[in-house]
């Protein structure tokens, strides 16, 4: 005797299949968005939904706009800065020399004691 699984081929909790059992789906419209890499995305929206000006491209992640000829520019990312780079932004070379001289003087005074 073969196992008597009555819901074979469906997942647990699955509802009835077929449009007639689920009811009518809401009317939809597809809007095209183009990114700077000329990829086209066509998400569907409900007819009464507010359409966003930009949509992220599912292929490359860049923002896409509805104007194919003039897509939005890619966001500018700042390169990673080291701690030393931030310090150099705040201090001039003269300030650095003064701080170094002060620290060396303190070290020399400790060694004399």
């Amino acid at each position: 005797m073969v196992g008597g699984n009555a819901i074979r081929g469906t997942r647990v909790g699955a509802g009835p299949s077929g449009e007639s059992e689920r009811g009518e789906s809401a009317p939809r419209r597809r809007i095209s968005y183009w990114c700077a890499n000329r990829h086209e995305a066509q998400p569907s929206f409900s007819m009464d939904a507010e359409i966003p000006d930009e949509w992220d491209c599912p292929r490359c992640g860049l923002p896409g706009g509805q104007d194919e000829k003039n897509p939005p520019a890619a966001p500018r990312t700042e390169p990673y800065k080291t701690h030393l780079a931030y310090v150099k932004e705040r201090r001039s070379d003269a300030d650095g020399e003064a701080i170094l001289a002060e620290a060396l003087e303190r070290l020399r005074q400790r060694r004399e004691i």
Side-chain angles (χ1 to χ4, degrees):
M1 184 167 158
V2 179
N5 190 350
I7 58 171
R8 186 178 198 90
T10 63
R11 66 181 189 274
V12 175
S17 60
E19 192 67 30
S20 61
E21 289 89 4
R22 284 185 284 183
E24 287 290 318
S25 61
R28 302 205 163 270
R29 62 180 163 183
R30 294 182 83 67
I31 306 294
S32 292
Y33 291 91
W34 287 271
C35 70
N37 291 334
R38 303 290 183 216
H39 299 141
E40 181 182 10
Q42 287 188 322
S44 63
F45 297 96
S46 174
M47 294 298 275
D48 56 348
E50 185 177 327
I51 305 300
D53 294 331
E54 290 187 356
W55 192 263
D56 289 340
C57 177
R59 288 180 63 189
C60 64
L62 293 176
Q66 295 179 27
D67 184 6
E68 182 178 7
K69 306 285 189 243
N70 190 16
R76 186 169 178 264
T77 56
E78 292 291 325
Y80 174 77
K81 287 186 184 178
T82 64
H83 175 70
L84 181 59
Y86 284 110
V87 170
K88 286 183 176 181
E89 283 181 0
R90 294 191 315 264
R91 308 257 194 255
S92 67
D93 288 340
D95 290 341
E97 292 293 331
I99 292 171
L100 179 61
E102 187 180 309
L104 289 173
E105 184 60 34
R106 275 189 266 145
L107 282 174
R108 289 184 186 117
Q109 288 177 356
R110 274 196 231 157
R111 287 188 180 178
E112 289 175 0
I113 298 177

